[in-house]
Amino acid sequence: MKTSEVVTAVIAALLGGGGLAFIQAVFSGVSSLKQGARAHERESVQDLARARDDADKRAASAEADRDYWRRIAGGYAYQLTRAGVDPTPADPVPPSQR
């Protein structure tokens, strides 16, 4: 037998004896693994986006509360100064300039 005849006989035996089903199973398994990984990555990205949005909402809420209390403190400081009370310390220095 020639080499080409042997190769042809081997291929025919594999494909005739369930080799085709095996090859299809391998390819379908690989494609399902890829699709599963992609789905998992999409879920992970969506989870990260939700976590980022929640963190942004908490930061915005904290900033709004901070600004509210600063306005209240500024109003009280203005009222006390207007009533003749001297602030303590008279000339505050911000932490960035210390």
Side-chain angles (χ1 to χ4, degrees), residues 11-96:
I11 290 174
L14 284 176
L15 294 179
L20 182 61
F22 174 74
I23 291 172
Q24 287 176 339
V26 168
F27 281 120
S28 67
V30 169
S31 67
S32 67
L33 282 175
K34 286 183 181 179
Q35 290 174 353
R38 288 185 189 130
H40 179 67
E41 289 173 2
R42 279 192 299 269
E43 290 172 4
S44 297
V45 169
Q46 290 171 352
D47 289 344
L48 289 172
R50 276 193 296 273
R52 182 201 59 222
D53 293 343
D54 291 344
D56 288 345
K57 287 177 186 175
R58 287 192 308 270
S61 176
E63 186 175 346
D65 287 348
R66 181 199 65 202
D67 291 345
Y68 170 78
W69 287 113
R70 282 183 178 173
R71 283 192 301 275
I72 295 295
Y76 288 157
Y78 174 75
Q79 291 173 18
L80 290 171
T81 303
R82 203 158 173 226
V85 178
D86 292 328
T88 304
D91 295 323
V93 179
S96 63

